[in-house]
Amino acid sequence: MLTNHLFTITTPLYYVNDRPHLGSCYTTIACDAISRFKRLEGKEVIFITGVDEHGQKIQRTAESNSISAEEHCNNISSKYSELWNTLNITYDRFVRTTDANHQNVVNQFFNNVKKSGDIYMGNQKGWYCVGCEEFKDISENTERPQCDIHKKDLEWRNEENLFFRLSKYQTKIEQLVTSNDFIHPISRRNEIIKFVSKGLKDFSISRVNVTWGLPVPGYDGHTFYVWFDALLGYLTATLNNGGEYKLEQLERSGWPADLHVIGKDILRFHAIYWPAMCMSAGIDIPTRIYGHGFLTREGNKMGKSLGNVLNPLTLYELVGIDPIRWYLLRDINFGFDGDFQNKRFIDLINNDLANTIGNLLNRTITMSRKWFNNKVPIVTVNGNELIKSKSVHTINIVRKELDRYNFLKASEGIIELAKQSNIYLNDNAPWVAIKNDENYDEVSACIYDVLESTRIIGILLQPLLPNLSSIMLKQLSYSPEKVWANDLVWGKLEQDIELPTPKPIINRLDTNIEI
RNA sequence: GUCAGAGUAGCUCAGCUGGUUAGAGCAUCGGAUUCAUAAACCGAAGGUCGGGAGUUCAAGUCUCCCCUCUGACACCA
């Protein structure tokens, strides 16, 4: 397999403690946009997503709902896959850490790491919060410490755990994280560099009191802790291509991942633990880690306690997929935090999609049909070069920015072309010119130019708004190819072909709706 | 607490190595138009650039102090 034609991208494996929220949607939609872009650029993409299903927290949630952990995981996992299907996410693999094959991969990986001499038995002791399920960094001499979050007394625990020798990889990890392209965005890279420079400590990879997890081979009572379970899901998913689940098969299956897209909260584990683990297991390390920001709502954190969590499914049923994607991709600077604002959401959709782009398509097709026998005009004179050169310019910008995962800049470029096209129409006023027969050829050229720039807008929107894009192109009687290089050429719209009656490509949102 | 980043029009942000009247989009108001989803187009208003001091012929842009916010500071799925 020609690996340079492959592009492997992953979302995090979402923890199935609760149903999916807008944050996981954001990550997944970003990955979807990247995947679609890469495919359009001619790559063969392996788009991996999935769920992380083990751990005490899940066990406990299941218990509180009086169902088995398996049942709980099945419920929530299907909520995820169903949501991705509803949102038309083009994922190729959906991995569950409860898959039998996953255990197989985990065992192989663990054995490799063990052979490298990087596993040892140690003691994990400290103040432990049952609610948080973690050890707190509080001095041993503290009397009756409490958990800040749960306001409960902490328990002193001294637990036998297996450890991974992360400290051994200090130098290699330092080199890795300081290299230019490994961690994005740069602000986060600096945090990681600083963290690593303070010295890496070994970390525990097993738990003794958690039954809902994968057993560690050779160590009775131990189950793998999250990082030696969940992260390996990427490998399991990569190997899920009809072949054998052998680590030796990874390289010809699309590993290493070209891009792990994750939330900033788990950056350290992906940028430090994970590559060190891969080095130890003798497999290639991923090429790039991209930590994106979090979403707030009207300036506040989204959370159950505030009762302001935005349910993606509700939002979808209210406005459809295009507004959601447009808002997340065009308004949030990928890599930074974003704020979801009701008013801004509505303004953005109505302005960009309905008014600027939608109306451009509508008015241009209407004119073309009205004056050219329901068809695309036949051009006999050269049009103004302005819109053509503007289009070519926009194509370059959008491709360049998408290649950097800068959806915001790419979107702005597209909007700019739509604005220029609207201005071009207003400046040339073909509806005035057409009243004089002498201008017929000139008007043909003008309308064709704008139909063409609108087609290019439709093509460029494919990775960002696949649904809206396809509606636009259908109205322009244009069928795009799988790879967009040939579509992104001026003059591809056939002349003298029928144009159907245009319909609004998206309805304006009522400015009074509450999301 | 320590370190890092940020505080510029109502909102979201641009403003590279200091240099003429501080920019954009959205929101607001006005004009004009009708091909179009009362859309597009043109224009106006709107900022003592967090506060204070300093360097300089000149500071949003450099230095110092203060205030506010965000993030990191190891086991947070």
Side-chain angles (χ1 to χ4, degrees):
Chain A
M1 210 178 274
L2 293 168
T3 47
N4 57 338
H5 280 148
L6 276 179
F7 187 84
T8 302
I9 177 173
T10 73
T11 72
L13 302 192
Y14 301 110
Y15 199 51
V16 298
N17 194 38
D18 206 351
R19 56 176 54 199
H21 56 271
L22 194 65
S24 24
C25 251
Y26 175 52
T27 319
T28 307
I29 285 174
C31 288
D32 184 66
I34 295 169
S35 297
R36 288 176 189 266
F37 167 67
K38 291 290 180 185
R39 287 190 203 105
L40 287 164
E41 290 284 341
K43 294 265 188 184
E44 189 186 324
V45 173
I46 303 175
F47 177 2
I48 291 168
T49 187
V51 285
D52 170 15
E53 306 181 275
H54 289 128
Q56 199 161 35
K57 212 177 280 179
I58 283 175
Q59 198 174 354
R60 210 168 285 164
T61 306
E63 275 165 21
S64 70
N65 292 327
S66 308
I67 54 174
S68 68
E70 287 92 337
E71 201 178 334
H72 169 87
C73 290
N74 288 341
N75 286 345
I76 305 287
S77 295
S78 63
K79 289 266 193 307
Y80 274 91
S81 54
E82 280 164 17
L83 179 63
W84 303 152
N85 291 338
T86 301
L87 299 183
N88 197 18
I89 301 296
T90 56
Y91 63 92
D92 299 294
R93 313 276 164 81
F94 186 90
V95 63
R96 299 180 55 177
T97 56
T98 50
D99 285 348
N101 291 316
H102 180 60
Q103 174 146 22
N104 179 2
V105 170
V106 169
N107 289 350
Q108 290 176 55
F109 191 93
F110 175 70
N111 283 330
N112 280 9
V113 173
K114 203 174 161 194
K115 267 182 217 155
S116 299
D118 293 334
I119 299 291
Y120 66 91
M121 188 67 82
N123 277 330
Q124 169 109 322
K125 53 183 177 183
W127 293 104
Y128 188 86
C129 173
V130 180
C132 301
E133 207 185 309
E134 70 185 37
F135 287 92
K136 298 289 177 185
D137 196 11
I138 294 172
S139 158
E140 190 169 343
N141 303 320
T142 316
E143 285 195 27
R144 284 200 59 183
Q146 284 200 327
C147 171
D148 290 338
I149 301 164
H150 294 91
K151 308 291 175 204
K152 282 186 187 163
D153 285 355
L154 299 175
E155 297 172 15
W156 179 258
R157 285 203 185 174
N158 189 343
E159 206 174 279
E160 200 174 51
N161 289 156
L162 288 167
F163 279 76
F164 171 68
R165 224 177 278 284
L166 179 66
S167 54
K168 180 172 143 188
Y169 296 90
Q170 176 75 32
T171 312
K172 282 185 176 170
I173 292 298
E174 253 170 29
Q175 279 169 358
L176 178 67
V177 300
T178 47
S179 69
N180 269 337
D181 269 332
F182 187 60
I183 301 169
H184 282 264
I186 294 165
S187 54
R188 306 238 159 258
R189 172 164 75 214
N190 293 337
E191 287 174 9
I192 295 288
I193 289 173
K194 176 145 205 193
F195 180 86
V196 175
S197 72
K198 292 203 289 190
L200 296 175
K201 293 178 197 162
D202 301 342
F203 66 91
S204 65
I205 65 161
S206 76
R207 289 287 181 272
V208 286
N209 291 317
V210 181
T211 51
W212 183 240
L214 295 174
V216 181
Y219 296 89
D220 275 356
H222 285 257
T223 52
F224 282 110
Y225 186 55
V226 55
W227 309 117
F228 258 69
D229 176 352
L231 290 171
L232 308 195
Y234 299 138
L235 306 179
T236 307
T238 305
L239 291 170
N240 178 18
N241 57 0
E244 281 186 295
Y245 284 84
K246 299 266 187 214
L247 294 185
E248 297 77 49
Q249 299 293 318
L250 275 171
E251 267 186 71
R252 74 194 68 169
S253 304
W255 191 260
D258 292 276
L259 184 65
H260 286 311
V261 178
I262 53 165
K264 60 185 182 181
D265 54 331
I266 50 175
L267 179 61
R268 187 199 307 146
F269 309 109
H270 282 77
I272 300 173
Y273 289 23
W274 180 225
M277 288 160 59
C278 289
M279 289 172 189
S280 176
I283 65 172
D284 288 336
I285 59 172
T287 309
R288 183 178 291 183
I289 316 288
Y290 208 115
H292 66 71
F294 281 165
L295 295 175
T296 53
R297 186 166 181 192
E298 310 291 344
N300 298 311
K301 275 190 181 169
M302 274 192 249
K304 277 189 200 161
S305 50
L306 280 169
N308 64 349
V309 177
L310 208 42
N311 183 336
L313 213 51
T314 311
L315 186 59
Y316 171 77
E317 279 158 10
L318 193 61
V319 302
I321 185 60
D322 294 314
I324 298 176
R325 287 180 74 109
W326 187 247
Y327 189 80
L328 296 176
L329 296 172
R330 108 123 256 197
D331 201 45
I332 295 167
N333 197 183
F334 195 50
F336 299 86
D337 290 346
D339 190 36
F340 187 97
Q341 293 172 11
N342 194 84
K343 184 176 187 313
R344 180 156 179 82
F345 180 83
I346 293 164
D347 284 342
L348 216 56
I349 302 315
N350 289 347
N351 280 310
D352 293 346
L353 302 186
N355 297 350
T356 303
I357 295 177
N359 187 50
L360 172 69
L361 178 88
N362 205 269
R363 69 194 297 210
T364 314
I365 291 180
T366 301
M367 286 186 274
S368 194
R369 284 173 49 84
K370 191 176 284 185
W371 305 325
F372 303 101
N373 195 25
N374 296 338
K375 292 177 173 180
V376 176
I378 299 169
V379 181
T380 52
V381 296
N382 285 335
N384 192 320
E385 283 291 304
L386 184 81
I387 282 298
K388 179 182 172 183
S389 66
K390 185 75 196 168
S391 297
V392 171
H393 177 67
T394 302
I395 290 168
N396 291 334
I397 287 188
V398 171
R399 289 175 92 166
K400 188 185 77 184
E401 296 298 347
L402 285 179
D403 199 47
R404 299 174 175 169
Y405 313 132
N406 196 337
F407 311 114
L408 194 159
K409 282 271 169 58
S411 304
E412 281 178 349
I414 295 171
I415 284 294
E416 183 57 27
L417 179 57
K419 285 193 182 236
Q420 292 293 331
S421 302
N422 273 318
I423 292 172
Y424 183 74
L425 280 178
N426 279 65
D427 287 351
N428 288 36
W431 50 91
V432 175
I434 196 68
K435 288 173 182 164
N436 186 338
D437 287 346
E438 284 172 20
N439 297 326
Y440 188 82
D441 290 345
E442 205 180 287
V443 171
S444 316
C446 172
I447 295 299
Y448 182 84
D449 280 351
V450 180
L451 284 171
E452 215 8 32
S453 69
T454 307
R455 180 189 67 88
I456 284 173
I457 289 166
I459 294 290
L460 290 173
L461 281 174
Q462 285 179 105
L464 302 167
L465 302 178
N467 179 59
L468 192 88
S469 159
S470 115
I471 292 172
M472 287 178 74
L473 295 174
K474 221 167 269 171
Q475 296 199 21
L476 286 165
S477 299
Y478 189 81
S479 309
E481 294 177 27
K482 271 194 172 169
V483 170
W484 69 0
N486 284 328
D487 295 324
L488 291 173
V489 174
W490 184 264
K492 277 288 183 167
L493 185 64
E494 213 179 312
Q495 300 179 14
D496 204 30
I497 57 166
E498 290 277 339
L499 288 171
T501 310
K503 288 188 198 119
I505 57 172
I506 191 167
N507 290 322
R508 307 183 89 239
L509 299 177
D510 182 347
T511 50
N512 294 319
I513 62 167
E514 286 291 328
I515 291 168

